[in-house]
Amino acid sequence: MMKRILVPTDFSEEAHHAYEVAVSVARKAGTGIKLLHVVESVSYSPSFSATGDVLTGNNMQQVYVLQLMEAMKVQMNKFLKSVDHEGVPVVQELDVDRPISKIKRTIKEDNVDLVVMGSKGSSGLDEFLIGSNTEKVVRTAECPVLTVKHRHPDFNVREVVLASDFKREVGHAMERFKSFQALFGARLHLVYINTPGAFESSGNLFSKLEDTAKKYNLQNYSVNIYNDVIEEDGILHFANDIRADLIMMATHGRTGLSHLLSGSIAEDLVNHTSIPVLTFQLK
């Protein structure tokens, strides 16, 4: 059961898109949201509390950070009200820290069930919630991460792609994916991307996918073999063909490489597709 959704924000347009989607998911799940903004400071000091209050000392750095935090409080309040979240409890937190460290700590301390993040993708690397920072959260979060790039004012998931090589034990991830499917009553499309470098016969692959579906007692699903030159392109082309609302994948957190497909497919998808991507790190 989903109890807490975390939305890290830098107050950008992409973060706003993520907040909208998080509210839609929270309404479906009957859960609450935490908005988190982290002021990154090279000379971070524990002299500041989570709300920006000075605890000790009064040097210029502390004065500057305090003033910055006060400005961020105003920004956070505007951001909070920028999405109609009636019926969804939303709390907010500001902190001075390293963003990735704070996000990981919050996930653990608050028992977060889902992180929803905005991403610009592979361009504009001067922003916080893009590129390597988003990918770091995808690789290291101990809960599913839903990455959103564009606006989805009515986030209603009907068609879901689950891409895998279906060779490894993915039970924990599959249960999370099934829960998300059930939340929206969506149809799940299992897909194996058959590439020239790792070609298998369709008969063997269909058997493998059907065995997976039976093993995890999947409901409302289809099995699909899709031919393409590389896995990432195949996933994107298949998702576009069926007009998917969501792509789901598991990742290997230690290296950032996909545990289910060769290469850093999950991170590439987050960067290159306009479709929301739900990733889950396998231990």
Side-chain angles (χ1 to χ4, degrees):
M1 181 179 177
M2 194 178 298
K3 296 181 180 179
R4 174 63 64 86
I5 297 173
L6 176 66
V7 180
T9 177
D10 60 356
F11 311 123
S12 65
E13 184 178 0
E14 290 73 26
H16 184 269
H17 299 335
Y19 181 24
E20 277 189 321
V21 167
V23 168
S24 294
V25 175
R27 283 204 176 102
K28 287 272 187 183
T31 189
I33 293 172
K34 171 177 272 192
L35 299 176
L36 173 66
H37 178 71
V38 184
V39 176
E40 186 164 17
S41 177
V42 176
S43 56
Y44 169 68
S45 168
S47 299
F48 291 87
S49 71
T51 56
D53 298 322
V54 177
L55 301 179
T56 60
N58 61 351
N59 61 41
M60 291 302 294
Q61 173 69 9
Q62 290 176 324
V63 171
Y64 168 76
V65 174
L66 179 58
Q67 290 174 339
L68 183 60
M69 292 293 281
E70 290 299 324
M72 292 303 100
K73 287 180 186 178
V74 175
Q75 283 276 81
M76 180 66 93
N77 284 326
K78 288 181 180 179
F79 188 81
L80 173 70
K81 298 173 183 176
S82 68
V83 174
D84 177 11
H85 59 89
E86 183 178 358
V88 177
V90 181
V91 298
Q92 50 187 293
E93 181 178 356
L94 298 170
D95 203 353
V96 183
D97 203 338
R98 295 176 179 85
I100 301 303
S101 298
K102 176 62 180 180
I103 291 170
K104 289 172 63 177
R105 203 161 58 247
T106 301
I107 290 170
K108 186 173 183 179
E109 293 174 355
D110 288 9
N111 295 315
V112 170
D113 299 293
L114 176 69
V115 176
V116 186
M117 294 186 71
S119 173
K120 279 188 178 179
S122 57
S123 61
L125 297 178
D126 57 332
E127 297 290 339
F128 162 52
L129 291 178
I130 58 171
S132 61
N133 282 295
T134 300
E135 290 167 9
K136 284 176 184 176
V137 176
V138 166
R139 289 196 300 266
T140 62
E142 296 182 5
C143 67
V145 178
L146 177 59
T147 307
V148 178
K149 196 174 293 182
H150 299 294
R151 188 165 186 246
H152 302 272
D154 182 22
F155 186 64
N156 190 13
V157 179
R158 299 178 183 87
E159 308 294 335
V160 179
V161 172
L162 175 56
S164 173
D165 65 6
F166 303 100
K167 293 178 181 177
R168 299 175 176 86
E169 178 60 46
V170 293
H172 192 37
M174 191 66 79
E175 291 306 315
R176 297 294 188 103
F177 292 153
K178 283 174 60 178
S179 296
F180 210 85
Q181 176 198 9
L183 186 64
F184 288 92
R187 183 162 176 78
L188 184 64
H189 302 273
L190 305 181
V191 62
Y192 179 98
I193 308 303
N194 218 0
T195 62
F199 185 82
E200 290 194 47
S201 70
S202 295
N204 288 341
L205 291 173
F206 274 115
S207 295
K208 187 182 299 182
L209 268 64
E210 284 291 359
D211 288 346
T212 298
K214 291 177 183 177
K215 178 177 181 178
Y216 297 110
N217 192 28
L218 300 185
Q219 305 294 321
N220 190 19
Y221 70 92
S222 71
V223 296
N224 306 270
I225 311 301
Y226 197 93
N227 298 321
D228 216 314
V229 178
I230 61 175
E231 290 95 334
E232 180 195 346
D233 287 350
I235 296 168
L236 293 177
H237 293 155
F238 176 76
N240 289 328
D241 285 352
I242 69 165
R243 298 185 178 181
D245 303 296
L246 179 70
I247 298 171
M248 300 195 299
M249 288 188 65
T251 66
H252 192 291
R254 185 170 57 85
T255 63
L257 301 181
S258 169
H259 195 53
L260 306 184
L261 296 160
S262 61
S264 53
I265 307 298
E267 288 86 344
D268 288 342
L269 284 174
V270 166
N271 272 333
H272 298 137
T273 183
S274 61
I275 302 171
V277 180
L278 181 70
T279 54
F280 183 66
Q281 176 201 148
L282 294 173
K283 301 294 182 183

